[in-house]
Amino acid sequence: MPPDKVLHTVNVSAGFEKLQILHDISLSLSKGEKVALIGRNGAGKSTLFNVIVGIVPQWTGKVFLNNLDITTKPVNYIYDNGISLMPQGGRIFPHLTIYENLVFNPKNKELTRKNIGMKIESILFENAPKMWEHSQKRILPRLDKNAGSLSGGERQILSIIRTFINDYHVLLLDEPTIGLALPMIFELKNLMCSKAQSGSGILFIEQKIKWSLNNCNRVYVMQRGKIVYEGYPKLLLENEELLSQYMGLNSMPK
Ligand SMILES: Nc1ncnc2c1ncn2[C@@H]1O[C@H](COP(=O)(O)OP(=O)(O)O)[C@@H](O)[C@H]1O
Ligand SMILES: [Mg+2]
C-alpha cells in the first residue's frame, strides 16, 4: 500500500435488515487529495460514509484509517481519532448552543468562548471572507444561543466551521453545498483546497456534478451500491453522454 493513503475501504458490503445496499466497495483517499463520490439519489453514497465512521455496521469488508483497521471501532473512537464528518444536511444539534456545537468534539476542548473567534478567523479570513463576515455577525455574538435559532444557510456555515475547525487529516463531506449561496460555494472550494494543500485528504459527496468534477483530483461514480467508474474527472467532463448515463437523464450536470 502506498504510504500516503489516509483512508481506504476493501470490499465493503452493508445494508439495512436484509436489504443489501453496498456491494464490495473498495476506494481510497490519499494525503492531499480531493476525491468526489457521485451518483444518483439513493445509490448508497451516504450509507458508505456512515459505514466508514461506524454509524452503520458493515456486513463484510474492511475500513482502514492510515494503516489502522478501524472496521469495528465505535463511532466515537473514529470521531476522536482523525475523521471529521460533515453529515448530509449539516445536522447541527439544534437544542445545543452554537458554542456547544463547535466544541462537541473532545479534540476541540481547548477552544474557549474567548479564543474560538480567533480560531474561526484563522480558518475563514483568507479563504472564506463572506463566511467570516457571517460568523462575526451571526455566530460569534450568539455563542450561547441555541443553534436551532440559526437560519438554514447559517446552520450550514456552522456545520462547515465545525468540520474544518479541527486539525483532522481526513474529511468526509456529504453534500456540503446544500443551502449555500453561490459566493459561499466558491469559498467552500477555497477551504477544501487549502485543507488539501496542507496534507489532508477530502472525500466528498455532491449533487453539483460539474462543480465536483472541477474540484476533485479523482472521482468515483456509484450506481446501485456499486462503484461503476473510478478515475480522473477529465474523462467524465469531456463525455456528457457517459455522465448522464451514470447520473440519470433528468439530472443533467450542473
Ligand atoms: N436507515 C435506513 N434504513 C433503511 N434503508 C435505508 C436507511 N438509510 C438509507 N436507506 C436506503 O439505502 C439506500 C441508499 O441510501 P443513501 O445511502 O442515503 O443514498 P445516497 O446518499 O446515495 O442518496 C436508499 O434506498 C435508502 O432508502
Ligand atoms: Mg446521501
Side-chain angles (χ1 to χ4, degrees):
M1 192 185 81
D4 64 346
K5 264 189 196 174
V6 287
L7 181 78
H8 70 289
T9 69
V10 181
N11 295 335
V12 163
S13 301
F16 301 99
E17 307 282 334
K18 286 188 177 142
L19 180 67
Q20 183 164 4
I21 303 291
L22 300 178
H23 302 260
D24 289 329
I25 304 289
S26 296
L27 54 72
S28 70
L29 177 69
S30 293
K31 211 168 178 277
E33 246 193 340
K34 288 171 291 167
V35 174
L37 174 62
I38 60 174
R40 298 182 200 190
N41 252 337
K45 307 178 298 296
S46 297
T47 303
L48 177 64
F49 272 18
N50 287 332
V51 169
I52 291 173
V53 299
I55 294 171
V56 170
Q58 100 292 359
W59 290 358
T60 58
K62 286 192 181 301
V63 181
F64 294 89
L65 177 61
N66 299 312
N67 286 320
L68 186 71
D69 181 351
I70 57 161
T71 314
T72 54
K73 300 280 190 207
V75 61
N76 55 328
Y77 173 91
I78 291 158
Y79 281 158
D80 292 354
N81 285 279
I83 296 185
S84 197
L85 170 71
M86 179 175 173
Q88 191 168 354
R91 268 199 244 133
I92 51 131
F93 301 102
H95 301 299
L96 297 183
T97 66
I98 292 174
Y99 175 72
E100 285 164 342
N101 268 274
L102 288 168
V103 298
F104 187 74
N105 188 312
K107 283 260 167 84
N108 293 338
K109 259 200 208 116
E110 83 283 6
L111 295 173
T112 64
R113 283 174 180 72
K114 279 210 172 115
N115 66 19
I116 202 165
M118 260 161 54
K119 177 76 181 180
I120 294 175
E121 183 178 14
S122 72
I123 299 161
L124 299 182
F125 184 75
E126 207 175 307
N127 293 310
K130 286 222 153 45
M131 286 193 205
W132 171 233
E133 202 183 309
H134 271 265
S135 305
Q136 282 174 297
K137 277 191 197 143
R138 294 286 299 164
I139 291 178
L140 287 169
R142 308 169 74 242
L143 284 177
D144 289 316
K145 295 267 188 314
N146 277 358
S149 66
L150 297 172
S151 73
E154 289 161 357
R155 286 181 194 205
Q156 195 71 347
I157 293 174
L158 178 63
S159 178
I160 289 170
I161 295 171
R162 189 177 60 179
T163 310
F164 283 83
I165 206 167
N166 53 52
D167 53 9
Y168 285 3
H169 57 273
V170 177
L171 272 64
L172 303 182
L173 314 178
D174 194 345
E175 303 201 15
T177 69
I178 285 187
L180 284 184
L182 263 181
M184 311 271 186
I185 293 177
F186 177 76
E187 294 190 349
L188 175 67
K189 181 175 174 170
N190 290 343
L191 288 173
M192 289 165 69
C193 288
S194 152
K195 193 86 180 165
Q197 267 161 18
S198 66
S200 295
I202 304 176
L203 180 61
F204 66 100
I205 294 170
E206 249 310 315
Q207 292 297 336
K208 288 192 167 33
I209 302 305
K210 282 263 163 86
W211 184 86
S212 306
L213 294 174
N214 283 313
N215 190 25
C216 71
N217 307 107
R218 284 190 303 119
V219 56
Y220 292 91
V221 181
M222 191 184 275
Q223 236 177 9
R224 294 195 197 91
K226 294 181 179 151
I227 300 293
V228 292
Y229 176 88
E230 171 186 355
Y232 297 111
K234 195 167 180 280
L235 183 74
L236 290 184
L237 278 166
E238 286 169 356
N239 191 341
E240 295 243 337
E241 204 176 314
L242 181 64
L243 192 54
S244 57
Q245 187 187 317
Y246 285 144
M247 300 307 299
L249 290 174
N250 295 328
S251 61
M252 285 310 281
K254 282 174 260 183

